[in-house]
Every structure is written in structure tokens, then in C-alpha cells.
Amino acid sequence: MTKKLWFQAGVGILLALLIVKYFLEINYLFYPVVIIASAIFTPLLLGGILYYITEPIQRFLEKRNFPRWASILTIIIALIAVIGGFALMIAPSVSEQTNNLVKSAPNLAHEIMNMANYIQDNSTSLPPQVNEAIDKIANSIQKYAMLTSVFLVQLIQTIVSWAFILILVPFFFIFMLKDHEKFAPSIYKMFSGNRRDWIKKTLADIDDVLRSYIQGQLLISFLLATMMYIGYLIIGLDYALLLVVFAFFMNVIPFIGPWIAFVPALIIGFLQDPKLAIWVCVVTLVAQQIDSNLITPNVMGKSLDIHPLTVITIILAAGNIAGFLGILLGVPAYAVGKVIVKNIYEHRKAIRSAATKNV
């Protein structure tokens, strides 16, 4: 019985639960390690994203006999030029639209209050469930308004912490470009034989999955934001560039992100002209259909091989567990876990096949 797969899996799960239980009971011993890990996690993550974006450029340069230092220097100069040029192009427009949005905020608030008063005046004709939902929203707004001062303090703390993170990101990024080929060998060289080959293959598969996801998702987000910007300009939507910049960052979240970006565009379109809200829906629907049927299948292909329903489930579960960070990292973490489990299964299958074959 001890050789059965279900028995071994059950023992493994029980041992994992015991390890987690005792880890939680003595977590104070690991508290300094957790603090250090959390401090370097974000700059390491951002540095890794930059590395996967620029790694194809480094490969291209080094195939043309660029030394490592020259390829890194070229990438850094190119990044500074691209970011600086992009900022110079969009910064004036974003600043102008932000100022206009701030100036028109009282009018927008007045329109929203008029809508709220209209709903309240006609609340007797609405179903009880709708009235309860409206009351909950109103109570939530009051609650968040009371916490404004706390939010401002947290915002200042966040700005300071992000300034520190942005200082560290270039160091992680440069060292990844410089020594990325040493990472995998430093791990699998500690093993030998078939286990070494398996770890080497697993690390290569993880690297391929992360590269495909990061490069593909950023390209999809850029193309989707470009289509939305063109559509917003055609229909004459106010604050188009500001909405598209927000949409670009939200589109990084698969499936759900574009609809998060859709909400502010719909609100601004409705307040600008109720008919414009319909055109915002049309632009979003057309962009989504082009993305779903043309862009995503050709950019991502079947590199991740994850069903859309699985992606939505992962995002919802990760969001409840770890908030916005969980939403961002849930899908790539699942893809990495899937690669590891798949390689374990194939390794066990190969061992079983070798043990039972006829000699």
C-alpha cells in the first residue's frame, strides 16, 4: 500500500500541513527574514520584468559581437531615451488633462449628486433590493470620506517607499542582465545524474513561461491601449490620454483588467454626453473582440495553455488572498506551478516506465 500514488500524495500533503502549522507557531523566528524578503521583493520583481523585456535586445546585440558591458550600456541608454521621449510626448497632454479633470471635478461631483438626488427622489418606484444596494453604497462613500486623512498619510508613506524601490530597481536589473546565465547553473550544479537534468529542464521551462507571459502581456496591453486611444479620439471622449494610460496598466491583468479600465471611461463618457457612453461601450467591445480573436492568440499562442475560466478563478482567488498584488501575480505563479507539477509527473512517469519495461 505504501507504494501507491494516492498514499504517497496523502503523506506528502500531511507533512506539508504539519510544516505550515509549526512554521506559523514559530513565525517570530523568521520575522527578520520575512521583512528582508518583502523589502527586496518589489524591486526584484520590477527588475525581472525589465530584464525579460530587454533580454531579446541583449541577445540580438551579443549575436553581433557586442561585449556584455556594451550590450548593457546600449540597453540602458535606449531605455532612458525611450522613457524620456515617451514622457516628453505624453507628459504635457497628461498634465493638461489632469489639470482639466481637477478643475472640472466640482462639476462632475455636482452631476453625480444630481444623479444621486434623482435616484433618491424616485426610490419609492425602485425594487427593495436596489434601494438596499444604494444605501450600502452611500454608507461606504461616507465611510471612505471619513478615512481621507488616513489615506493621505498612507499615500505619503507609499510615495517614500516607492522612491526607495525605484532606486534599487536599476541595480537588480543591471545584475540580471550581467549574470543571468549564472543563475540556473548555480542551482542545478548541486545535483547530479537524472535529477540534475530534470532540474535543468524545469528551470528552463519556468524561464520560457515567464518570458512568454511578461513579454506577451505587455505587448497585448500596449496594442489594446493603442486601439482604445484611437477609438476615444474618434468619438471625442474627454481625458482620452489619461484614461488610456490608466487602461495600459490595468490591461496587464488578463480578462478582468480591460473591464476595470472601462468603468472610468464609461462614467466620464456618460457625464460628458449620455450618448457618448454608448460609443465608449462600442469602442471597448470592438477592441476586446480584436484582442480576443486576433492579438492574444497570435501573441501568446498556447505558451501558457491556461483556460480562460481558470484564469478568472485564479484572479478572483488571488485577489481575495493577497489583494492587488495577488491579482497581478496569480496567473504567472499558477503557470510556474503548473510547469513544476507537469515536470514532476513526466519525471515519475519516465521512472515508472523504466522500472517496468522488459529487459
Side-chain angles (χ1 to χ4, degrees), residues 137-151:
I137 293 172
N139 293 332
S140 298
I141 292 173
Q142 293 176 358
K143 177 182 176 182
Y144 290 128
M146 293 174 62
L147 296 175
T148 303
S149 59
V150 178
F151 171 76

Side-chain angles (χ1 to χ4, degrees), residues 55-244:
E55 187 267 343
I57 301 173
Q58 185 182 43
R59 246 188 299 125
F60 174 81
L61 293 173
E62 292 185 355
K63 282 182 179 178
R64 279 144 185 83
N65 299 322
F66 272 65
R68 177 59 54 90
W69 66 268
S71 66
I72 295 173
L73 185 61
T74 304
I75 288 171
I76 292 172
I77 294 173
L79 272 179
I80 293 172
V82 169
I83 294 172
F86 189 70
L88 289 174
M89 285 190 296
I90 72 165
S93 298
V94 170
S95 177
E96 180 183 356
Q97 293 186 13
T98 303
N99 291 332
N100 292 336
L101 182 61
V102 171
K103 291 177 182 177
S104 61
N107 293 330
L108 295 176
H110 181 68
E111 293 289 338
I112 293 172
M113 288 300 297
N114 288 338
M115 291 172 56
N117 291 332
Y118 176 80
I119 293 172
Q120 188 175 5
D121 294 339
N122 295 274
S123 60
T124 54
S125 61
L126 297 174
Q129 295 86 351
V130 177
N131 286 325
E132 291 178 4
I134 292 172
D135 291 337
K136 288 180 180 179
I137 293 172
N139 293 332
S140 298
I141 292 173
Q142 293 176 358
K143 177 182 176 182
Y144 290 128
M146 293 174 62
L147 296 175
T148 303
S149 59
V150 178
F151 171 76
L152 291 175
V153 173
Q154 292 177 345
L155 179 62
I156 295 172
Q157 293 175 347
T158 303
I159 292 173
V160 172
S161 63
W162 272 97
F164 178 71
I165 287 169
L166 291 177
I167 293 172
L168 292 178
V169 168
F171 292 98
F172 284 97
F173 172 53
I174 291 170
F175 279 108
M176 285 180 184
L177 287 176
K178 179 178 178 292
D179 297 326
H180 61 89
E181 291 147 340
K182 299 178 182 178
F183 173 71
S186 67
I187 295 177
Y188 63 70
K189 72 179 182 180
M190 296 185 290
F191 302 90
S192 60
N194 292 332
R195 184 168 297 178
R196 176 174 180 166
D197 295 336
W198 179 83
I199 292 174
K200 184 177 180 179
K201 179 181 180 300
T202 302
L203 291 174
D205 290 344
I206 291 173
D207 182 59
D208 290 339
V209 165
L210 290 176
R211 179 183 289 104
S212 298
Y213 180 80
I214 293 172
Q215 294 176 357
Q217 202 62 40
L218 287 173
L219 179 59
I220 290 169
S221 181
F222 174 76
L223 294 175
L224 193 56
T226 302
M227 288 189 295
M228 293 172 70
Y229 183 59
I230 294 171
Y232 291 164
L233 289 179
I234 292 172
I235 65 176
L237 183 66
D238 290 340
Y239 317 112
L241 187 59
L242 200 60
L243 292 169
V244 166

Side-chain angles (χ1 to χ4, degrees), residues 276-288:
L276 203 59
I278 299 174
W279 286 109
V280 171
C281 295
V282 172
V283 169
T284 304
L285 182 62
V286 170
Q288 284 294 310

Side-chain angles (χ1 to χ4, degrees), residues 298-316:
N298 288 296
V299 173
M300 300 293 282
K302 295 186 177 179
S303 57
L304 296 184
D305 194 22
I306 303 175
H307 194 275
L309 184 60
T310 304
V311 173
I312 294 172
T313 304
I314 293 167
I315 291 172
L316 293 175

Side-chain angles (χ1 to χ4, degrees), residues 235-294:
I235 65 176
L237 183 66
D238 290 340
Y239 317 112
L241 187 59
L242 200 60
L243 292 169
V244 166
V245 171
F246 174 73
F248 172 77
F249 291 103
M250 290 299 102
N251 290 340
V252 175
I253 305 171
F255 296 101
I256 295 178
W259 299 109
I260 298 174
F262 165 69
V263 174
L266 180 66
I267 293 172
I268 290 177
F270 183 81
L271 295 176
Q272 183 180 343
D273 183 355
K275 293 180 181 178
L276 203 59
I278 299 174
W279 286 109
V280 171
C281 295
V282 172
V283 169
T284 304
L285 182 62
V286 170
Q288 284 294 310
Q289 289 301 311
I290 295 174
D291 172 53
S292 301
N293 295 294
L294 293 176

